[in-house]
Amino acid sequence: MIADVPAGFDQWEWSKMPLSKNSAVTAYFLQSPQTPDWNLVEDFYSYCPAPHRDFWICPIGEDNWTFFKGDGGSWILSKIILPYTEKPKLKGPFHAISKSQKNGKEVWVYLSTFKFNDIQNILKLTYSQKIDSFKSIEKSHDLWIFKEDMGRLMFSEQGEYVILVHVL
C-alpha cells in the first residue's frame, strides 16, 4: 500500500516510479490485480463517468488524476500536472489540460468525458446569465459568445470526448 494513492485505489498493490528525473511527479503501476475493478473505482468516484476504453480521468481532492492502460498493457495511475498554478477560468465537469497565449488572448483547453449535449446543458445552467449568444459551426450551438470579458467558448466532439476551447 502506498500512501499517495487516492482512496479506493489504495486497496490494490502498486509499484512507484518517478515520471522524469527532474520532476516530483510519480506514476503508480498496478501490480495486483492485473485488471482494475471498475466497480470499486465507481463506488469511490461515482461523480466521474465510467472509463472510456482504457482511459479514465477524474478530479480527486485538489488534483486531476488519470488511470490508463499503457503500451505494455500495464495500468498506470498518475496526477495530471499542468505547467501553471492559476485556477481555470471556467468550472464544470471537465479537466483543464492546457493554458496558453495566442494573439494576445488567453486560451484554455478542457477535456470532458460527458456527452456533447450533457456538458452544454450543465454549462447553460451554470453560466446562463453570462451567455450573450450562440452560433453553430459543426453542431448546434457549438460556439458560445459570453458577455463582458468572458470571451468565447467552442465545443468539439472528438469520439467519446468533448474538447472545450475557451478564448479570453
Side-chain angles (χ1 to χ4, degrees), residues 1-15 27-51 54-61 63-69 75-79:
M1 186 161 107
I2 298 176
D4 297 345
V5 173
F9 292 98
D10 58 359
Q11 299 177 38
W12 300 334
E13 289 182 39
W14 300 90
S15 61
Y28 302 94
F29 293 85
L30 183 61
Q31 298 298 306
S32 178
Q34 288 187 348
T35 305
D37 178 353
W38 290 109
N39 291 326
L40 178 68
V41 174
E42 194 172 1
D43 286 346
F44 276 86
Y45 305 104
S46 59
Y47 59 92
C48 290
D54 296 333
F55 175 78
W56 181 79
I57 186 169
C58 188
I60 301 172
D63 299 305
N64 287 321
W65 285 81
T66 184
F67 189 41
F68 60 94
K69 192 172 191 177
W75 285 89
I76 303 162
L77 176 69
S78 178
K79 287 181 188 176

Side-chain angles (χ1 to χ4, degrees), residues 61-64 82 84-91 94 96 98-99 106 108 110 166 168:
E62 294 294 315
D63 299 305
N64 287 321
L82 300 173
Y84 50 84
T85 57
E86 182 181 352
K87 292 283 185 193
K89 298 296 183 187
L90 293 177
K91 292 184 181 184
F94 44 74
S98 173
K99 177 195 172 209
E106 192 173 311
W108 286 84
Y110 303 94
H166 186 204
L168 297 152

Side-chain angles (χ1 to χ4, degrees), residues 114-117 138-139 155-163:
F114 281 68
K115 291 181 176 23
F116 187 88
N117 290 333
E138 293 178 3
K139 294 187 82 149
F155 298 83
S156 178
E157 192 169 33
Q158 300 295 319
E160 298 174 345
Y161 304 99
V162 176
I163 304 295

